[in-house]
Amino acid sequence: NEDRADRGPLTGQRILVTAGPTHEPIDPVRYIANRSSGKQGFAIAGALARLGAEVTLVAGPVTLPTPPGVTRIDVETAREMAAAVEQALPADAAIMVAAVADWHVDATAIKIKKQPGAAPPTLALVQNPDILAGLSRSAKRPRLVIGFAAETNDVIAHARAKLAAKGCDWIVANDVSGPTGQSVMGGDANSVHLVTAQGVEDWPHLPKQAVAERLAQRIAASLAQSLL
Ligand code: CTP
Ligand code: CA
C-alpha cells in the first residue's frame, strides 16, 4: 500500500485496533450508545500505518474518514466487534481503544409500542463479552496487548486493577474528570497515563494526534525489543 511507509519501524507488523462506541439495539428502531467519538482510536490506527504497520481497524458506528493505508471493518454491536476481532487474528499487537458497551439489551424483533395505560417497558440487560480480556487469554494472543480505560477518579489505581484483571500488557488510562477531562470524549485532546508492569508514565495534555504518534512510537520500540 502506497500510503504506508515502506521502511517504517512497523513494516511487516500486523496490528489490530478497535475504536468508537458500540450500538446495542433495543428493538429494530432504537439503540443504546455512548459518547465515544472514535477520534483517539482512528488517530492511533493512522499513526501505526504511517510507521509501516498493516493495520486492521474494527470500528463501531462513527462519522470519521478511514485513515490512509488502514483496512477498516465496520461493526455495530459489541458481539459483532468480538467476532470481527477474532476474524482479524493473528496479529503482532492489539490496541483496544473502543468504548465497548458493557451490556446488550435482550432485544425484541419488533418495535416496542406504547400501550395505553400500561407501565413503561423495562429493559433487560445481558453482559457483553469482554473482548480485551478474551484476547489477552486467547491461544492467538498478540505479543503486545493494550487496553484503554476512561476513569473519573482514582485513575491510576483503577488502571492498575484493569491491567491485572484483563491480562493485558499496558493500559492507557484517560483522565476524564475535571476541566480538561470533560472535553476528552468527543474532543481533540487527551490526558493519559501509560500504566505497565514497569510503572506509570504521566503524559502531558496533548492533541489526540500527538498521543497517537507517541503511542505508535512506543509500540514500535516494544515490538522491536520483543523480537530480539
Ligand atoms: N473492553 C472490551 N470489551 C468489553 C469491555 C471493555 O474489550 N466488553 C475493553 C475496552 O476496549 C478497553 C478496556 O477493555 O480497552 C477497558 O474498558 P473499560 O470500560 O474501562 O473496562 P471495564 O472492564 O468494562 O470496566 P468498567 O466497569 O470500569 O466499565
Ligand atoms: Ca466498561
Side-chain angles (χ1 to χ4, degrees), residues 55-82:
V55 180
T56 300
L57 171 61
V58 178
V62 295
T63 51
L64 293 171
T66 307
V70 167
T71 302
R72 172 174 176 176
I73 299 165
D74 285 313
V75 297
E76 186 182 348
T77 67
R79 287 165 293 167
E80 287 168 12
M81 187 172 277

Side-chain angles (χ1 to χ4, degrees), residues 96-98 100-102 128-132 147-151 162 166:
M96 316 303 265
V97 197
V100 183
D102 291 322
N128 276 329
D130 190 319
I131 304 168
L132 173 60
F148 265 67
E151 308 285 356
K162 267 176 197 167
K166 309 239 176 205

Side-chain angles (χ1 to χ4, degrees), residues 127-200:
Q127 195 163 322
N128 276 329
D130 190 319
I131 304 168
L132 173 60
L135 185 67
S136 295
R137 295 189 173 104
S138 135
K140 295 188 210 156
R141 188 192 197 278
R143 299 207 303 288
L144 180 63
V145 179
I146 306 172
F148 265 67
E151 308 285 356
T152 55
N153 59 294
D154 301 324
V155 177
I156 303 302
H158 281 131
R160 282 191 200 280
K162 267 176 197 167
L163 189 71
K166 309 239 176 205
C168 58
D169 300 301
W170 304 350
I171 287 276
V172 179
N174 295 50
D175 196 337
V176 294
S177 70
T180 51
Q182 275 151 22
S183 61
V184 168
M185 289 202 114
D188 289 315
N190 210 349
S191 287
V192 308
H193 310 269
L194 182 62
V195 181
T196 74
Q198 277 71 49
V200 180

